[in-house]
Amino acid sequence: MEDEDDDEVERAARWLEDLSNGVLNREFDFLTLQGLRVVRARKDSLLCTFVVPDRLSDMDGNWHVGAMATLIDDVGAAMAYSATGKLKATLDFCVSYLSTAKIQEEVEIESKVVGPGSKGKLAMVVMEVRRKDSGKLIALAKQWLASVNLTGDQLKSKL
């Protein structure tokens, strides 16, 4: 069983890295996640770093909140898969933006599964986005995900 758990953690981390490197032919995710680095991947937590690129800037020179939400959604999906071994679709997604991140600023994204639901069909993931240098909280997100049954080529789109 432990080997299966390790495989799921490795597969989730590889999926995020492939998205950030443009390997999966998902242009929108690639544009938003390019440069994302998985620092630590465990069954119960995922830690990534990201330097906010110029192309994700809003009019004020901050990380665009839509781009931040896309990154958070993908990191949450990888965390849910890592913890449960099941592919999940987002049912509910809430982000509280508490601060901003400037272009070229390095941030950390930490993700944890805090609420597996009944019979493993649901999972709740909580993510924090912080400034790497100060630890100041930029965004706090909560995501509910439900198991989905995908086969064949469908698996490439979400893990």
Side-chain angles (χ1 to χ4, degrees):
M1 181 84 170
E2 188 171 320
D3 290 337
E4 288 176 11
D5 291 347
D6 290 344
D7 288 345
E8 291 156 357
V9 171
E10 183 180 321
R11 187 173 180 194
R14 187 175 53 247
W15 178 74
L16 277 176
E17 289 171 350
D18 286 350
L19 277 178
S20 73
N21 291 322
V23 173
L24 298 179
N25 201 23
R26 290 179 58 183
E27 187 174 347
F28 183 75
D29 290 302
F30 170 64
L31 290 173
T32 317
L33 276 71
Q34 186 179 17
L36 180 77
R37 299 285 174 246
V38 176
V39 175
R40 183 185 70 234
R42 297 185 181 144
K43 187 170 180 66
D44 63 344
S45 67
L46 185 62
L47 179 67
C48 301
T49 60
F50 184 68
V51 176
V52 181
D54 295 343
R55 71 180 173 283
L56 299 181
S57 146
D58 65 11
M59 291 175 42
D60 297 320
N62 297 315
W63 188 8
H64 192 282
V65 294
M68 190 186 316
T70 299
L71 184 141
I72 292 169
D73 181 45
D74 285 336
V75 170
M79 181 71 260
Y81 180 81
S82 178
T84 66
K86 296 181 176 147
L87 298 175
K88 304 283 185 179
T90 301
L91 297 175
D92 183 43
F93 185 59
C94 176
V95 182
S96 296
Y97 299 98
L98 308 169
S99 184
T100 59
K102 291 290 183 189
I103 298 307
Q104 297 306 314
E105 185 169 6
E106 187 171 17
V107 298
E108 291 183 324
I109 304 95
E110 186 168 14
S111 180
K112 296 178 183 180
V113 171
V114 295
S118 63
K119 300 180 185 177
K121 292 182 180 181
L122 294 174
M124 185 173 118
V125 179
V126 173
M127 288 144 294
E128 295 180 350
V129 179
R130 297 182 175 275
R131 287 190 174 87
K132 186 171 181 184
D133 63 355
S134 69
K136 183 177 180 182
L137 191 61
I138 296 168
L140 182 62
K142 176 191 72 162
Q143 183 177 24
W144 276 101
L145 301 108
S147 296
V148 294
N149 294 320
L150 300 177
T151 58
D153 287 337
Q154 294 173 321
L155 291 173
K156 294 177 185 173
S157 68
K158 195 99 165 169
L159 295 183

